[in-house]
Amino acid sequence: MKNFSLQCPIPISDYPNVLLAHGGGGKLMHNLIAKMFSAAFSNDILLQEHDSAQITLQENKIAFTTDSYVVKPLFFPGGDIGSLAVNGTVNDLAMSGAVPLYISLGLIIEEGFPMDELWKVVKSIAAAAEAAGVKIATGDTKVVDKGKGDGIFINTSGIGVMEHSLNISPKNIHSGDVIILNGDIGRHGIAIMAEREGLEFDHKIESDCAPLNGIVNDIISSEIDVHCMRDLTRGGLSSTLNELADSAGCAIEIDEVSVPVHEDVRGACEILGFDPMYVANEGKFITIVPRQQAEACLEILRKYNPESAIIGRINSANEAIVKLNSRIGTKRILDMLSGEQLPRIC
Amino acid sequence: MKNFSLQCPIPISDYPNVLLAHGGGGKLMHNLIAKMFSAAFSNDILLQEHDSAQITLQENKIAFTTDSYVVKPLFFPGGDIGSLAVNGTVNDLAMSGAVPLYISLGLIIEEGFPMDELWKVVKSIAAAAEAAGVKIATGDTKVVDKGKGDGIFINTSGIGVMEHSLNISPKNIHSGDVIILNGDIGRHGIAIMAEREGLEFDHKIESDCAPLNGIVNDIISSEIDVHCMRDLTRGGLSSTLNELADSAGCAIEIDEVSVPVHEDVRGACEILGFDPMYVANEGKFITIVPRQQAEACLEILRKYNPESAIIGRINSANEAIVKLNSRIGTKRILDMLSGEQLPRIC
């Protein structure tokens, strides 16, 4: 990690809080960019100081994605809005099998936001970018009046390059394929909700927020014929499965007993009235592969997380549907939620 | 333009206002995406329905940029937050000489935002994208609680390809170069402020919000050796000149009498206490070229706007400074504003 000063590089006594003027295009904004952002994110691309970053790619086939982050609270066990904003976008790129390389950073800050909290977020972004091996290539800062935002919102967009020739897509899901999950679910959503509601547990439940590009690279370079991958963010495992069933026009069957959920998460879900199948994750994904390659893929996933498991399969069907073989032996349809279970979870 | 239905595709009686659930990852969000966004933005890339857009580029030298738009009010004479969000990002790409191709769209909507206003914004985005020749390649929708946003904030990031071999950069500005402006300044900022303050003029002052990629393409394909370009957004002409002087370490000299300002804009500036040199534009830029090519470049710019003019030059100097030869014959330093003159102008 870059050698950050521990202190906020803009003396707190000068500007303890962000002012509207910090987003106004004048000296204060340039000072913020020069002293704080450039210090934290310094790289060859940012040094161009141009309206847009100029980048030479080694491949012509790219992936491009965007996500805004409005998580509340901004800091939570296992992460914060900064690490989330980097990892979430890195993971969207990784899910198409791309190697994430460049991230943009759009900040919308509420007037009055403490300067030292901004520095904490900026440090976290820089550390997460370094851990995931991506560069912050371009950025933008806006400040909105007090009461017209909520601390800080972050948008990151990302560019990755496709170094493989696989067809990783919902359209490539086939009957007979197997669904593999890379560990236990529900931790991110419960960590946020517990923090928001002031719930206390024996052991603090931490978000699983993490970059997935390393593990995806291992799978692809092992020549596993990945048909599809997707991370289990808003709406959790259940929404992801329903989206894929819809896009692919297939029937999905899941064995509930195979889906790892930690005891503390299960307990918190019972208290809060949630079903872990619908709770958001930030470091979990499913890989859909041909049956013959399931064990090889599982072996790779288990190197990262021994709880990785085969949780279901694709069946031939005339309708897009997700069925769950429940823990108690019954079968039921796992539907997509109508609205939100956990607002502002990411 | 695509054949939009005039009516909002989500019946107003169903959901007259955006709910938190529209950003929750469930059925309501998928319905919003399928019925409204996919209808307005439909293209081959979006149809992939994947976590990230997969794109094959014809060039591997690209430009990448991001901007968040928090303009207030959302609708103003000559544009709205939707057209601004497309043109602003298209112009940042064009300023590096890139051909803008793909735009991402991150929406942060405040709970309760009227669904028909969302549709107006979405239609405006689609129309602006079509006019500029770019595709909406990927998107994200978040909804924040009422009182934690301000109607709608939009982030767009953009990717363009570099089809030229020019070195368009502040570092390539040379002593003796000439600065050319593509028309009158100050209209965007004044249009917003007049709307915000309820000022009325004989003729409504309209924002100059427009895409600049067409004109830039004409300049580059005319083999003019462009040294630098930059658009005059937040902070106006003055801030742009100061940024360039800083980056290039050069002295800039501007003739105030050559800088076109419309009478109504000048009058409004006097009433509001603004200097047009600091007022934001959304369709104006400066081109910095070698003296021998200034007339050829000006001729191209005048095809688009007869008010285009040579407004100044680069002098050799030991310090980064911007000097103004004023209308009344005096010389003064044109400094960068300390804070904001016009908050939330874009």
Side-chain angles (χ1 to χ4, degrees):
Chain A
M1 187 170 151
K2 291 191 182 74
N3 191 13
F4 293 123
S5 66
L6 293 173
Q7 298 295 318
C8 177
I10 294 179
I12 296 295
S13 54
D14 287 2
Y15 296 101
N17 298 92
V18 174
L19 307 177
L20 271 178
H22 281 111
K27 278 183 195 167
L28 279 185
M29 190 176 93
H30 285 88
N31 197 40
L32 187 67
I33 293 171
K35 287 210 180 146
M36 189 182 283
F37 302 156
S38 298
F41 306 138
S42 177
N43 63 56
D44 53 327
I45 309 279
L46 270 185
L47 281 175
Q48 296 168 351
E49 296 183 17
H50 213 322
D51 272 359
S52 56
Q54 299 182 22
I55 297 169
T56 303
L57 300 170
Q58 300 307 313
E59 307 280 339
N60 283 10
K61 207 172 155 197
I62 67 165
F64 181 33
T65 191
T66 193
D67 252 321
S68 298
Y69 299 84
V70 299
V71 67
K72 187 181 174 176
L74 299 176
F75 303 93
F76 49 84
D80 58 61
I81 191 170
S83 56
L84 191 65
V86 173
N87 290 333
T89 292
V90 160
N91 292 348
D92 277 346
L93 293 171
M95 290 303 107
S96 57
V99 177
L101 292 178
Y102 303 101
I103 298 275
S104 69
L105 183 66
L107 305 180
I108 299 178
I109 308 172
E110 186 188 8
E111 184 187 10
F113 188 62
M115 193 64 80
D116 58 348
E117 290 199 15
L118 179 60
W119 176 233
K120 271 176 74 178
V121 171
V122 164
K123 275 196 295 187
S124 172
I125 291 169
E130 186 156 305
V134 296
K135 286 180 181 175
I136 308 294
T138 183
D140 175 60
T141 307
K142 293 291 186 319
V143 181
V144 296
D145 344 22
K146 198 160 177 66
K148 300 295 183 187
D150 199 10
I152 187 167
F153 300 143
I154 301 180
N155 176 282
T156 50
S157 299
I159 294 177
V161 291
M162 310 290 257
E163 293 179 348
H164 62 82
S165 55
L166 295 168
N167 173 17
I168 300 176
S169 155
K171 319 274 185 213
N172 195 26
I173 295 175
H174 293 100
S175 169
D177 284 355
V178 162
I179 302 168
I180 316 176
L181 171 63
N182 71 321
D184 67 295
I185 61 169
R187 270 193 280 138
H188 176 72
I190 295 303
I192 297 285
M193 289 309 287
E195 192 73 11
R196 208 185 288 171
E197 305 298 331
L199 299 182
E200 293 202 5
F201 304 106
D202 290 348
H203 302 283
K204 223 177 187 59
I205 296 173
E206 292 204 339
S207 168
D208 61 336
C209 184
L212 295 169
N213 51 331
I215 186 169
V216 166
N217 186 51
D218 276 8
I219 295 171
I220 290 177
S221 57
S222 301
E223 299 193 354
I224 288 175
D225 179 24
V226 177
H227 285 178
C228 192
M229 294 188 283
R230 189 155 295 186
D231 54 347
L232 315 178
T233 55
R234 267 185 294 183
L237 175 60
S238 179
S239 291
T240 300
L241 293 170
N242 273 282
E243 277 173 30
L244 293 181
D246 268 353
S247 294
C250 70
I252 295 179
E253 184 184 354
I254 298 292
D255 306 316
E256 189 176 21
V257 73
S258 308
V259 178
V261 182
H262 286 185
E263 268 319 302
D264 49 2
V265 169
R266 194 179 298 282
C269 279
E270 280 170 16
I271 293 169
L272 294 163
F274 294 148
D275 178 344
M277 304 293 277
Y278 293 90
V279 175
N281 311 274
E282 288 294 341
K284 293 302 173 313
F285 72 111
I286 51 172
T287 312
I288 300 179
V289 299
R291 194 183 308 149
Q292 318 79 274
Q293 297 197 292
E295 285 300 327
C297 183
L298 182 61
E299 200 175 308
I300 298 166
L301 292 172
R302 285 196 166 149
K303 281 184 201 156
Y304 288 83
N305 188 332
E307 292 181 276
S308 302
I310 293 171
I311 62 163
R313 61 212 66 84
I314 310 298
N315 295 328
S316 60
N318 297 324
E319 54 170 347
I321 195 165
V322 183
K323 286 185 184 166
L324 185 78
N325 301 318
S326 82
R327 195 169 285 277
I328 52 171
T330 57
K331 285 183 193 293
R332 65 179 170 95
I333 290 173
L334 200 61
D335 207 356
M336 189 177 276
L337 277 187
S338 158
E340 95 287 4
Q341 185 185 48
L342 301 161
R344 299 185 56 186
I345 208 70
C346 61
Chain B
M1 186 170 151
K2 291 193 182 73
N3 192 12
F4 293 123
S5 65
L6 293 173
Q7 297 295 317
C8 176
I10 294 180
I12 296 294
S13 54
D14 287 1
Y15 296 102
N17 298 92
V18 174
L19 306 177
L20 271 178
H22 281 111
K27 278 184 196 167
L28 278 186
M29 190 176 92
H30 284 89
N31 197 40
L32 187 68
I33 293 171
K35 288 210 180 146
M36 189 184 280
F37 302 155
S38 298
F41 306 137
S42 177
N43 63 56
D44 52 328
I45 309 277
L46 271 184
L47 281 175
Q48 296 167 351
E49 296 183 17
H50 213 324
D51 272 359
S52 55
Q54 298 182 23
I55 298 169
T56 302
L57 301 169
Q58 299 308 310
E59 307 279 340
N60 49 9
K61 207 171 156 200
I62 66 164
F64 180 34
T65 192
T66 194
D67 253 321
S68 298
Y69 298 85
V70 300
V71 67
K72 186 182 175 177
L74 300 176
F75 303 92
F76 49 83
D80 58 63
I81 192 170
S83 55
L84 191 65
V86 173
N87 290 333
T89 291
V90 161
N91 292 349
D92 277 347
L93 293 171
M95 289 304 106
S96 58
V99 177
L101 293 177
Y102 303 100
I103 298 274
S104 68
L105 183 65
L107 305 180
I108 300 178
I109 308 172
E110 186 188 8
E111 185 187 10
F113 188 61
M115 193 63 82
D116 58 348
E117 289 199 16
L118 179 60
W119 176 233
K120 270 176 74 178
V121 171
V122 164
K123 275 196 295 187
S124 172
I125 292 168
E130 185 154 308
V134 295
K135 286 180 182 176
I136 307 295
T138 183
D140 175 59
T141 307
K142 292 291 186 321
V143 181
V144 296
D145 345 22
K146 197 160 179 65
K148 299 296 182 186
D150 199 9
I152 187 167
F153 300 142
I154 301 180
N155 176 283
T156 51
S157 299
I159 294 177
V161 292
M162 310 289 258
E163 293 179 349
H164 61 83
S165 55
L166 295 167
N167 173 18
I168 299 177
S169 157
K171 318 276 186 213
N172 195 25
I173 295 175
H174 293 99
S175 169
D177 285 355
V178 162
I179 303 169
I180 317 176
L181 170 63
N182 72 322
D184 66 296
I185 60 169
R187 270 192 279 139
H188 177 71
I190 295 303
I192 298 284
M193 289 308 287
E195 192 74 10
R196 210 185 286 171
E197 304 298 330
L199 300 183
E200 293 203 5
F201 304 105
D202 290 348
H203 302 284
K204 223 178 187 58
I205 296 173
E206 294 203 339
S207 167
D208 61 337
C209 182
L212 294 168
N213 51 332
I215 187 168
V216 166
N217 186 51
D218 276 9
I219 294 171
I220 290 177
S221 57
S222 300
E223 300 192 355
I224 287 174
D225 178 23
V226 176
H227 285 178
C228 193
M229 294 188 283
R230 190 155 295 186
D231 53 348
L232 315 177
T233 55
R234 269 185 293 182
L237 175 60
S238 179
S239 291
T240 299
L241 293 171
N242 273 283
E243 279 173 28
L244 293 181
D246 269 351
S247 294
C250 68
I252 295 179
E253 183 185 357
I254 298 293
D255 306 315
E256 189 176 21
V257 73
S258 308
V259 178
V261 181
H262 286 185
E263 268 319 302
D264 49 2
V265 169
R266 193 178 299 282
C269 278
E270 280 172 15
I271 294 168
L272 293 162
F274 294 148
D275 179 344
M277 304 294 276
Y278 292 89
V279 176
N281 311 273
E282 287 294 341
K284 292 302 174 312
F285 71 111
I286 50 172
T287 311
I288 300 179
V289 300
R291 194 184 306 147
Q292 319 79 275
Q293 296 197 294
E295 285 300 328
C297 183
L298 182 61
E299 199 176 306
I300 297 166
L301 292 171
R302 285 198 165 148
K303 282 185 199 154
Y304 287 84
N305 188 331
E307 290 179 278
S308 302
I310 293 172
I311 62 163
R313 62 210 66 85
I314 310 297
N315 295 327
S316 61
N318 297 324
E319 55 170 346
I321 196 165
V322 183
K323 286 185 183 165
L324 185 78
N325 301 318
S326 82
R327 196 170 283 279
I328 53 171
T330 58
K331 284 182 194 294
R332 65 179 171 95
I333 289 173
L334 200 61
D335 207 355
M336 189 177 276
L337 278 188
S338 158
E340 95 288 0
Q341 184 186 50
L342 302 159
R344 298 184 59 186
I345 208 72
C346 61

